[in-house]
Amino acid sequence: MDEKDDFALQDFLPYLLNRAAEESSLGFQKHYKNRYGMLRTEWRVLFHLGNYGQMTAKEIGSRAKIHKTKISRAVAKLTEKRFVTRTRDESDRRSEHLALTPAGEAAYKDLREHALEFDTQICARFTTGEVAILRYMLRNLAGIEP
Amino acid sequence: MDEKDDFALQDFLPYLLNRAAEESSLGFQKHYKNRYGMLRTEWRVLFHLGNYGQMTAKEIGSRAKIHKTKISRAVAKLTEKRFVTRTRDESDRRSEHLALTPAGEAAYKDLREHALEFDTQICARFTTGEVAILRYMLRNLAGIEP
DNA sequence: GGATATTAGTTGTTTTTGTAACTAACAAGG
DNA sequence: CCTTGTTAGTTACAAAAACAACTAATATCC
């Protein structure tokens, strides 16, 4: 007989993580995509500004581990949409502080509502303890501190 | 004061899942990319054939939830690399059975080794119980049965 | 002060993906 | 048979991502 596999692809963590991530993204995607014509990087930038307040492209990039070219283009799109304003830092004129406009704030709050609801819905399938473990492990795997 | 946020972006599951997935992919990526010049879909197809044996593009697609155009292109690349052979199904000449060549089998085994090792390394950061919960939850989120 | 290196951010070019339209083989109903 | 519908897989074209090269401002060190 064949030297058969004890390897189970559907247990391989990078595979499983990607599948789960893709699947879970779909549900949220339709909100920011259909409703605001945003791309993945765009909602991420929007959420960073909404959640943490004004910051520079650099800061968003290092927090979210997104490459600067992606940020640059996302910020350009968000500025076009009048969701974000840029103001040069006068003490270091290379960088600029990004902030949400009222319209951007409104979009953020709307999307945050959906996010919260979506998240709650996912969690409902599991126990509170399980969810806590999942979050803790994912934060660890993602390289996010606490 | 400001109507402040109880929403924590870094706890939002779709975000967290994506970050964890991206991060965990990086480590494995260099094996299939640097060593075999493969793309993500290509190793997935290779692994499906190596792990489950001969199957059609359709079957791989529905198992892995990959769109048929991506499969089609991945199979073309893998065929170029002489890792996969295609044989028409004579009872239904629309579909073809894909199988690994000896070279494909060798690449699969090599990569599987790295996958196993990589997975073990990840798991080492957690307890056995935690890992079991993680896998169970990810399978659920990914829409994979058991 | 001035050459050199770094850093923030942008732009251009190439890969890769997504979407839609296509071909070829089969299936079913009349 | 022969129209109509469906399925497996491919191809063509548009959208998005990756990567490299660029500009402009600042920092460093002699």
Side-chain angles (χ1 to χ4, degrees), chain A residues 118-129:
Chain A
F118 188 70
D119 204 79
T120 306
Q121 215 173 304
I122 291 176
C123 294
R125 291 190 249 169
F126 307 104
T127 70
T128 313

Side-chain angles (χ1 to χ4, degrees), chain A residues 124-135:
Chain A
R125 291 190 249 169
F126 307 104
T127 70
T128 313
E130 285 170 343
V131 171
I133 291 177
L134 179 66
R135 286 218 169 87

Side-chain angles (χ1 to χ4, degrees), chain B residues 114-126:
Chain B
H114 286 288
L116 232 24
E117 195 182 305
F118 188 69
D119 203 80
T120 305
Q121 215 173 304
I122 292 176
C123 294
R125 291 191 249 170
F126 307 104

Side-chain angles (χ1 to χ4, degrees), chain B residues 79-93:
Chain B
T79 306
E80 257 177 50
K81 291 190 177 79
R82 309 285 173 199
F83 282 173
V84 164
T85 55
R86 339 163 75 129
T87 19
R88 279 242 166 264
D89 178 340
E90 285 306 327
S91 75
D92 180 349
R93 300 183 40 73

Side-chain angles (χ1 to χ4, degrees), chain B residues 63-82:
Chain B
R63 269 214 210 224
K65 288 213 182 120
I66 303 176
H67 195 269
K68 58 183 181 173
T69 62
K70 271 165 104 176
I71 306 259
S72 175
R73 292 197 254 245
V75 169
K77 286 274 171 69
L78 289 170
T79 306
E80 257 177 50
K81 291 190 177 79
R82 309 285 173 199

Side-chain angles (χ1 to χ4, degrees), chain B residues 46-73:
Chain B
L46 186 88
F47 268 56
H48 273 265
L49 293 173
N51 202 220
Y52 302 116
Q54 165 177 303
M55 57 204 300
T56 67
K58 180 78 209 299
E59 287 167 333
I60 296 176
S62 67
R63 269 214 210 224
K65 288 213 182 120
I66 303 176
H67 195 269
K68 58 183 181 173
T69 62
K70 271 165 104 176
I71 306 259
S72 175
R73 292 197 254 245

Side-chain angles (χ1 to χ4, degrees), chain B residues 38 58 114-115 117 134 136-137:
Chain B
M38 285 190 200
K58 180 78 209 299
H114 286 288
E117 195 182 305
L134 179 66
Y136 148 71
M137 293 180 85

